[in-house]
Every structure is written in structure tokens, then in C-alpha cells.
């Protein structure tokens, strides 16, 4: 039970295919979407003690906010799959670690460390290659090394050490827990407020090593220190479109647009500030049409006094 803002269901990459003895397919990102009906549980026939009167299973819901206790390397599992089940790999990303070893807890689940789950299906042999791994971000590796919460979370989580350790700290932990994209020979773990992490599709390890070395600026494409987790795929131009937002009190909110090739998640087109909006803007997502990127820019005002308190 791991939250995911989006599900990437794509053909297995060559490394996975060779390791798993299944044919390699190249597909467009939109062509291997697992229909929601396949994910739905059977209808409830009776009300158990675990369910609320409306049928909600609160114990299962609560497990979604419990730290995942174990990472599995690529492991083959027998599974009864229909013969027409598509061959491919199903990736998910979501928060899966909610406290440091010293007991410091996240104050919001969105500050939990990201974990990638990958399942490669072979319906002919009725088996699945499963693996799950925490994204080896800078913050995650420092947490594990020190046993503490090494940095503040963007949703209010405090680093270990109390008020004095947190006062006027503006650095936030990139938890890489919001989205996952498979493109070319890599998997990218995305988060709202930082750069993507580039992973090996089979092992889910950082391609360039653990910690900050695993981050990528996508070949120099990014011109800010963030890259939205809510990119869109443009099937006509065979490209991904994404954005980043940077706020400067003297200028306003600057939105930069990116267009990336669906072969290698890189771009030959320069990225430059595209939209400047007065004041701070909380921009989470956007709509992509054939000719336009549409942003809903809500009006925001800063409360300076409470903003200063938040730094304590």
C-alpha cells in the first residue's frame, strides 16, 4: 500500500529482459497502462471487524503509513497470471519510511523517504520478478549513517536535535517519493522540490552512486534546483513536457518549461524562463494540450511573521 501520484507501466528494459529470459519490447509510455479494473479488489461480501460501516479497511489504510521493513533484491516469484496478461514492468514510487532510527518521526507522510517497487511479469511462465528499494538520496543515506533525521522536510518535519539544530535551516530533504518514469535505459525517481534521481531499472540502485551523486540535471537541461514530479507525455511529438517553479520576492514566481525526448529523457532545446507571475505561486500540476501548457496560478500572500516562525 504505497502512495503513487502516477503509475508507469512500461515494457521491460533490455537488462531486465535478459535477466528474466523474456523478450524485449520498446513501447511508448502510454501504451502499457494497466487498467484500473485489474487493480480493483473483489467486491466485499460481508462486513468484517476490520471494516468501517462504509466498507473502509482502516487497518490497511494505516499500514500505508508504516515504514517498509525490508528491501528485496530481484526475486523470482511464482504467480498465476492470465495468458493474455501483458509482458512488461510495473513501477511504483511512494513514501515508505516515516521515522529515523533515533525515533524522530516525520510530521507529514509526504516527508517520508521514497521507495521504488518494480514487478516484471512473464505470463507464459507464470512468474514475476519482484524488487523494491529505497531511493538512495543524500538525506536517506545520511539518515542511515547517523541514525538521525538529517534534514528538515518540506512538509514540516524537523531534523533531529531540537530547536537549536533546526533554527534558520532552509535546506530541505529531497525524498524522491512522488513519481517514477522509465525512459531509455534508466528509471527516474521524481520529487517536487529537487532534481531527479537516476536509477538502474533492474537493481533500482542509483546509477552514479549513492547520495547526491545519484541526482541528475538531465544533461544540463535543468536551470533551477527543482523539476516537477508531474510531467506529461506528448504522444504527437513523442516527448515529455515538464516545468519548474522558482520564487524570488523581487521578481515573483518564474515557471520554466522543459521538453524531453522519450528516447533518452534529454533535450537539445534550451530551457529558459517561460512565465513570470507576480508574487508567490503554489503550482503543483498543469494541463498539456496539443498547443498549450495550462497552469492554474492561485493567488498567495506571505505571512512574514509566521514565515519567520517556521524557520525555528
Amino acid at each position: 500500500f504505497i502512495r503513487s501520484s502516477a503509475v508507469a507501466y512500461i515494457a521491460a528494459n533490455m537488462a531486465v529482459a535478459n535477466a528474466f529470459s523474456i523478450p524485449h519490447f520498446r513501447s511508448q509510455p502510454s501504451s502499457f497502462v494497466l487498467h484500473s479494473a485489474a487493480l480493483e479488489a473483489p467486491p466485499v461480501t460481508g462486513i468484517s471487524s476490520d471494516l468501517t460501516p462504509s466498507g473502509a479497511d482502516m487497518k490497511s489504510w494505516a499500514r500505508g503509513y508504516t515504514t517498509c521493513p525490508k528491501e528485496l533484491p530481484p526475486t523470482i516469484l511464482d504467480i498465476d497470471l492470465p495468458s493474455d496478461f501483458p509482458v512488461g514492468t510495473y513501477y511504483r514510487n511512494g513514501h515508505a519510511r516515516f521515522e529515523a532510527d533515533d525515533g524522530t518521526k516525520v510530521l507529514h507522510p509526504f516527508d517520508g523517504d521514497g521507495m521504488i517497487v518494480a514487478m516484471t511479469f512473464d505470463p507464459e511462465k507464470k512468474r514475476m520478478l519482484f524488487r523494491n528499494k529505497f531511493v538512495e538520496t543524500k538525506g536517506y543515506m545520511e539518515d542511515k549513517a547517523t541514525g538521525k533525521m538529517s534534514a528538515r522536510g518540506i512538509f514540516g518535519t524537523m531534523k533531529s536535535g531540537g530547536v537549536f539544530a533546526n533554527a534558520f535551516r532552509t535546506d530541505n530533504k529531497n525524498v524522491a517519493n512522488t513519481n517514477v518514469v522509465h525512459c531509455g535505459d534508466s528509471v527516474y525517481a521524481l520529487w517536487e522540490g529537487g532534481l531527479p534521481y537516476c536509477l538502474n531499472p533492474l537493481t533500482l540502485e542509483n546509477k552514479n552512486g549513492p547520495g547526491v551523486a545519484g541526482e541528475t540535471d538531465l544533461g544540463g537541461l535543468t536551470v533551477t534546483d527543482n523539476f516537477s514530479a508531474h510531467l506529461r507525455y506528448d504522444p504527437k511529438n513523442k516527448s515529455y513536457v515538464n516545468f519548474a517553479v522558482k520564487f524570488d520576492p523581487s521578481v515573483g514566481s518564474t515557471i520554466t518549461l522543459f521538453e524531453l525526448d522519450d528516447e533518452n529523457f534529454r533535450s537539445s532545446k534550451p530551457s529558459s524562463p517561460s512565465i513570470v507571475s507576480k508574487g508567490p505561486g503554489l503550482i503543483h500540476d498543469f494541463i498539456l494540450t496539443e498547443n498549450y501548457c495550462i497552469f492554474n496560478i492561485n493567488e498567495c500572500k506571505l505571512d512574514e511573521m509566521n514565515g519567520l516562525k517556521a524557520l525555528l
Side-chain angles (χ1 to χ4, degrees), residues 76-299:
I76 295 177
L77 302 173
D78 294 326
I79 181 171
D80 188 14
L81 295 171
S83 59
D84 60 349
F85 197 90
V87 175
T89 299
Y90 171 66
Y91 290 98
R92 293 196 74 170
N93 185 7
H95 41 55
R97 187 170 184 264
F98 301 95
E99 65 277 322
D101 293 340
D102 67 355
T104 303
K105 297 183 180 297
V106 300
L107 296 185
H108 192 287
F110 291 179
D111 280 338
D113 292 300
M115 170 178 277
I116 306 296
V117 176
M119 292 166 276
T120 301
F121 297 100
D122 183 349
E124 181 178 348
K125 296 182 178 179
K126 295 187 180 298
R127 60 183 187 176
M128 172 180 72
L129 183 68
F130 179 90
R131 59 268 192 208
N132 68 306
K133 187 171 182 59
F134 284 103
V135 184
E136 296 174 325
T137 64
K138 175 178 180 288
Y140 174 77
M141 299 305 293
E142 290 179 353
D143 287 1
K144 296 300 289 183
T146 64
K148 300 179 180 180
M149 193 73 73
S150 62
R152 300 181 72 161
I154 202 169
F155 288 94
T157 298
M158 307 291 274
K159 65 176 294 185
S160 300
V163 173
F164 292 107
N166 286 273
F168 302 104
R169 294 293 299 266
T170 59
D171 55 319
N172 292 304
K173 186 179 178 184
N174 180 345
V175 288
N177 69 2
T178 310
N179 202 350
V180 58
V181 178
H182 180 284
C183 190
D185 61 355
S186 300
V187 165
Y188 298 89
L190 307 182
W191 180 65
E192 301 293 340
L195 295 175
Y197 274 82
C198 182
L199 314 178
N200 180 302
L202 176 61
T203 66
L204 306 180
E205 296 174 339
N206 289 356
K207 276 195 164 185
N208 296 320
V212 71
E215 289 185 352
T216 175
D217 65 0
L218 303 175
L221 174 69
T222 58
V223 293
T224 67
D225 59 359
N226 66 80
F227 185 78
S228 171
H230 299 286
L231 74 175
R232 293 288 178 265
Y233 184 67
D234 180 354
K236 181 177 180 180
N237 295 307
K238 297 183 179 180
S239 63
Y240 291 98
V241 179
N242 204 8
F243 70 96
V245 181
K246 183 176 181 179
F247 174 65
D248 183 335
S250 64
V251 178
S253 297
T254 301
I255 303 173
T256 301
L257 294 176
F258 308 102
E259 189 172 354
L260 305 100
D261 189 271
D262 72 351
E263 294 277 357
N264 59 10
F265 217 54
R266 297 294 186 271
S267 178
S268 59
K269 300 179 181 179
S271 297
S272 59
S274 304
I275 304 169
V276 178
S277 174
K278 293 182 179 179
L282 183 61
I283 303 173
H284 178 76
D285 208 337
F286 75 113
I287 297 172
L288 179 68
T289 72
E290 184 174 351
N291 298 308
Y292 297 96
C293 295
I294 303 172
F295 293 87
N296 179 25
I297 303 177
N298 53 306
E299 182 179 1

